[in-house]
Amino acid sequence: MSVPRPRIGLTATFCTHPTYEMRMAALGQRYISAIRAAGGLPFLIPGDTPPEEAPALLAALDGLLLTGGGDIAPQRYGGEPHPAVYGLRPSRDALEIALVREAITRGKPFLGICRGVQVLNVALGGTLYEDLPSQYPHALRHRSDDKTEREMLAHGVRLAAGSRLARLFGTEHLEVNSLHHQGVRDVASGLQATAWADDGLVEALEVPGHPFGLAVQWHPEWLYQKYPQHAAIFRALVEAAQEA
Ligand code: MN
């Protein structure tokens, strides 16, 4: 008998079908294929799931992937309205914050991607830059709207020696893509920053002492095929979920 593949829940959003004009649960296919390629069994978590259902969901899953998406409502972290803030979905904020808190409490392995690192930080009391280009002095170009640049290596990141990230990649320097206009401002107490862009911006957070609690600001789902080194982060999540 083969070993059961770990069940990984992926947070999804909603979109309107262009032809049928009806609301659809939606998730970028790359997240799904990355989890499947790493040996996980992907399950979609609808974005309108009531936050009270987070414990039941995580009880049924072996691991969690917090996916990318629009901005978190600034009032969630004591932030200010900003004209560049876009794509607010308060119900998704509430669900993902409940999911990540529950994953931390239960010691359930999770990986956050892009918005996911921001959700993790806000869930534990950290804050965000509402808009890097206007608020972060000397910022690198972290954001591109050019679809061809999703797989482009945009900047380096330095990984903290001895961190989970440095161990799983076997290096203290990575080149990553960059598709975000917000970023981590104050790191929540209870989290450790473990990667920084060349301009000093935090690009990864870890939960110390947790079996696998990690989130990155870049998008490995767009890199893992072209740059197989980046598949390691999905394999590490799936392996942790297997052991949990
Ligand atoms: Mn970046």
Side-chain angles (χ1 to χ4, degrees), residues 132 141-142 155 157 176-180 197 201 203 217-218:
L132 291 171
R141 187 162 170 264
H142 287 278
H155 63 72
V157 287
V176 300
N177 53 358
S178 195
L179 303 165
H180 57 110
L201 187 71
E203 289 258 342
Q217 184 63 76
W218 62 91

Side-chain angles (χ1 to χ4, degrees), residues 65-147:
L65 178 64
L66 298 162
T67 63
D71 294 340
I72 299 167
Q75 53 266 40
R76 282 272 177 195
Y77 52 91
E80 299 290 333
H82 188 287
V85 167
Y86 79 101
L88 300 182
R89 291 186 185 277
S91 61
R92 188 179 172 192
D93 294 348
L95 169 64
E96 291 187 324
I97 286 169
L99 281 169
V100 77
R101 285 180 180 159
E102 184 72 16
I104 290 170
T105 304
R106 284 176 177 260
K108 195 70 85 170
F110 69 90
L111 172 64
I113 291 180
C114 196
R115 170 186 161 93
V117 75
Q118 299 168 8
V119 167
L120 171 61
N121 194 41
V122 169
L124 298 198
T127 63
L128 305 178
Y129 292 105
E130 289 90 346
D131 182 56
L132 291 171
S134 53
Q135 296 177 337
Y136 192 72
H138 315 298
L140 289 168
R141 187 162 170 264
H142 287 278
R143 173 63 181 240
S144 170
D145 292 315
D146 184 341
K147 292 178 178 61

